[in-house]
Amino acid sequence: MMDNLTRATIHLMARRTNTQLSETHWRVLEYAYAYYKQNRVGPLYRNIERHANVARNILNQIFPRGLYSVYGWLNIPIHSSDDIPCKPAVNIRVEDYQEVFLDHNATTYLRKEVRVALHDFLDDQNSFANPSSSSTSAQKIYRLIEQSRRRVARCLGVNSQEIVFTSGGSESINLAIKGSALNYLSCPGHIITSVTEHSAVLASVSFLEKLGFNVTYLPVDTDGRVNPQRLIEEIRPNTQLVAIMAANNEIGVINPLAEIGAICRNAGIPLMVDAVQAFAKIPLYPRAWGISFLALSGHKLYGPKGIGALYIADGQSLMPLIHGGEQEGGRRAGTENVLGILGLGLAAKLAQREMLVESERLTRLRNYLLQRLQAIEPDLIVNGSLLHRLPNNLNVGFPGIDSGSLLLSLDRIGIAVSVGSACHAGGDETSHVIRALGIDTDHYGIVRFSLGLQTTESDLNYLLRYLPKILSDLRNIK
Ligand code: PLP
């Protein structure tokens, strides 16, 4: 039985949100309350559907914020605590516990060579010098920065003067999009991007919409790729920028950049490419492909976090977003993040050197994982093109499984993967990328496995050993 305080809170919340409490509201709330008391976690949509007989779409209609309101009004925690996960998870303990990191599209660790190099640099008592000063130690630091710039430039086959260091992928993207739009503030025109871009792109163009720019969001095909023909159709006389990502962070799908670049070049429109996921994983040819701006980030390639770079093709004009000193050729003020720059330069050099071999190794491992997953789960779906995909990415849908619950269960045996969001109530915050593919997320729990430098077949076998039990236990959670 629900206590009086909870009832009073519900009435209060209903008044605040202008919600007329009906018998259906109470049925959901009573059930969710009892479920929480028994399980110490809130129910998922499908539990409510099955046991309180209220469908997900009805629940979302009658509560102002869907399952969030149900949780909020009943004071059910949405986020995990150490011992109580935000969603039902399988109670599993294993003898051979291992830490297996399968989330390299989210971020990567500092690789050993970079760690050692940065350590050595910090141990040098002159390493604190400001590269803009004229002392001998400062000049040495300046030369190290320029060496890193050349290393990054070499990966792209461009001049080192075309590389600007920033604080990461997000800043590089903001600089390219807003910096070039600032040239048109007096006559805001048209920008084309795609629906599956990273939020750094989507939020930047949406900000520009508020300043009077028009934005077209290209759809993607069912394989997750932008169709170049659609781009041609959407170009207008006043199109000022096209922003299309090289490879998607969730599904790893690679866009046809050579074709997109050729279209932009022929139309005389700058093309900005978010290559945060693709850089040093697949070959990129900004010059040949007609790319004007290309963003990359250190922490996706075993370099430090908080460092990135933007390629700005010679002749492209762009207003700085950070004003001050003349660092980075006047395109990004501020005393340089020397440690980050050195780490990025070395990480880029190493990644470039081993790209082909590592790409083949990862493709083999990824295909092995897929094959074994399909044997465990014949109705598994693969999200996005397998053919045009980063070698290390596998994004799949498990039928009848809540992805947050799967993530939390895997975490209990030391395996890190990604889902849209583990702890959004009921998983109703579906990723915009998965939605763009038209996937039925009521039916499929979406999980991204992303492999990396240290991933071995034995890591995957550890996952595959326990996955069948986890899936079957999750299906049995009432
Ligand atoms: N673009 C893509 C495709 C990404 O995956 C990310 C990071 O997740 C970013 C941009 C943002 O990069 P950063 O974390 O370096 O700001």
Side-chain angles (χ1 to χ4, degrees):
M1 271 297 279
M2 199 182 277
D3 61 62
N4 286 341
L5 181 62
T6 308
R7 274 185 188 281
T9 309
I10 291 171
H11 282 291
L12 179 72
M13 293 308 290
R15 260 201 315 280
R16 276 195 193 150
T17 56
N18 281 330
T19 306
Q20 283 286 13
L21 288 171
S22 65
E23 182 273 330
T24 315
H25 285 97
W26 283 112
R27 188 145 32 96
V28 171
L29 290 163
E30 296 277 7
Y31 169 74
Y33 181 83
Y35 187 99
Y36 175 60
K37 287 286 162 210
Q38 188 182 336
N39 301 299
R40 307 308 299 164
V41 293
L44 303 173
Y45 278 108
R46 65 180 161 83
N47 304 118
I48 296 175
E49 208 150 40
R50 217 176 289 157
H51 300 282
N53 204 17
V54 177
R56 179 190 183 115
N57 61 331
I58 303 289
L59 190 148
N60 285 336
Q61 273 166 29
I62 65 174
F63 285 94
R65 294 177 62 229
L67 204 50
Y68 273 116
S69 301
V70 177
Y71 279 43
W73 296 8
L74 291 170
N75 207 14
I76 295 175
I78 287 176
H79 295 283
S80 305
S81 65
D82 281 351
D83 50 347
I84 303 175
C86 58
K87 288 199 171 174
V90 166
N91 215 352
I92 182 168
R93 295 277 177 273
V94 297
E95 299 270 298
D96 57 344
Y97 181 91
Q98 288 175 35
E99 303 249 309
V100 174
F101 185 70
L102 297 178
D103 204 11
H104 294 78
N105 288 147
T107 195
T108 55
Y109 28 84
L110 266 191
R111 61 185 298 168
K112 185 154 178 248
E113 301 91 326
V114 174
R115 229 171 37 231
V116 170
L118 296 186
H119 220 276
D120 290 349
F121 177 75
L122 283 176
D123 279 346
D124 174 351
Q125 56 177 344
N126 291 321
S127 67
F128 71 94
N130 186 330
S132 298
S133 308
S134 46
S135 67
T136 307
S137 352
Q139 284 174 25
K140 189 175 150 206
I141 309 279
Y142 178 82
R143 282 196 299 276
L144 286 175
I145 290 181
E146 292 315 300
Q147 180 192 53
S148 279
R149 205 184 301 283
R150 282 194 301 279
R151 285 174 168 174
V152 172
R154 212 169 289 137
C155 295
L156 296 169
V158 301
N159 289 333
S160 60
Q161 298 89 328
E162 293 173 301
I163 300 295
V164 168
F165 289 117
T166 66
S167 69
S170 299
E171 187 190 325
S172 298
I173 290 165
N174 274 261
L175 175 57
I177 295 180
K178 294 181 194 164
S180 50
L182 285 176
N183 289 320
Y184 299 103
L185 260 195
S186 56
C187 55
H190 176 232
I191 296 170
I192 301 178
T193 188
S194 84
V195 290
T196 57
E197 297 294 313
H198 187 270
S199 54
V201 170
L202 294 176
S204 293
V205 297
S206 142
F207 170 74
L208 292 176
E209 274 182 307
K210 294 191 191 105
L211 298 184
F213 289 82
N214 282 308
V215 180
T216 297
Y217 298 87
L218 293 177
V220 290
D221 290 342
T222 49
D223 65 358
R225 303 180 89 208
V226 167
N227 183 338
Q229 190 54 38
R230 287 298 300 257
L231 171 61
I232 295 175
E233 288 161 15
E234 296 297 344
I235 289 177
R236 301 181 196 167
N238 70 341
T239 303
Q240 291 159 342
L241 183 73
V242 172
I244 302 289
M245 70 202 318
N248 186 272
N249 42 307
E250 292 187 34
I251 52 178
V253 165
I254 300 168
N255 273 317
L257 276 191
E259 286 165 84
I260 290 170
I263 293 165
C264 292
R265 194 185 341 233
N266 287 340
I269 304 166
L271 169 64
M272 126 79 203
V273 171
D274 170 358
V276 167
Q277 291 289 343
F279 178 76
K281 289 205 191 91
I282 55 169
L284 296 167
Y285 306 102
R287 285 234 177 100
W289 292 348
I291 293 171
S292 303
F293 308 107
L294 183 143
L296 58 103
S297 173
H299 75 102
K300 306 289 181 181
L301 55 137
Y302 311 94
K305 297 186 187 5
I307 183 71
L310 180 67
Y311 158 71
I312 304 174
D314 220 7
Q316 286 296 332
S317 94
L318 170 154
M319 297 276 190
L321 298 186
I322 299 181
H323 296 90
E326 282 304 305
Q327 290 91 349
E328 299 300 306
R331 292 168 294 188
R332 201 271 187 184
T335 301
E336 294 86 345
N337 170 2
V338 179
L339 212 60
I341 292 173
L342 301 193
L344 170 59
L346 181 55
K349 175 184 152 175
L350 296 170
Q352 174 75 5
R353 194 159 69 193
E354 62 207 11
M355 182 166 63
L356 291 181
V357 173
E358 186 57 8
S359 156
E360 270 182 35
R361 190 186 75 88
L362 289 171
T363 307
R364 226 176 309 120
L365 274 183
R366 195 261 315 279
N367 292 346
Y368 170 74
L369 175 61
L370 175 59
Q371 198 190 354
R372 295 283 309 274
L373 286 177
Q374 282 168 330
I376 293 170
E377 195 71 51
D379 293 329
L380 182 97
I381 56 166
V382 176
N383 302 314
S385 165
L386 248 193
L387 185 63
H388 303 284
R389 181 183 288 260
L390 293 176
N392 75 328
N393 174 290
L394 185 62
N395 187 306
V396 294
F398 291 91
I401 291 291
D402 179 84
S403 52
S405 289
L406 179 53
L407 176 141
L408 295 167
S409 306
L410 289 173
D411 182 61
R412 288 191 166 171
I413 58 166
I415 298 174
V417 296
S418 250
V419 301
S421 172
C423 290
H424 280 143
D428 64 335
E429 289 273 309
T430 313
S431 119
H432 66 289
V433 176
I434 298 299
R435 246 184 291 131
L437 299 181
I439 288 157
D440 172 8
T441 47
D442 277 353
H443 188 63
Y444 290 101
I446 308 300
V447 177
R448 175 184 74 188
F449 299 99
S450 48
L451 323 183
L453 263 186
Q454 292 172 7
T455 311
T456 61
E457 192 173 301
S458 146
D459 290 336
L460 301 181
N461 287 339
Y462 177 69
L463 160 77
L464 294 160
R465 188 150 62 246
Y466 295 109
L467 188 65
K469 175 172 167 47
I470 290 177
L471 292 174
S472 106
D473 285 4
L474 282 176
R475 290 200 170 98
N476 287 330
I477 291 180
K478 292 270 179 323

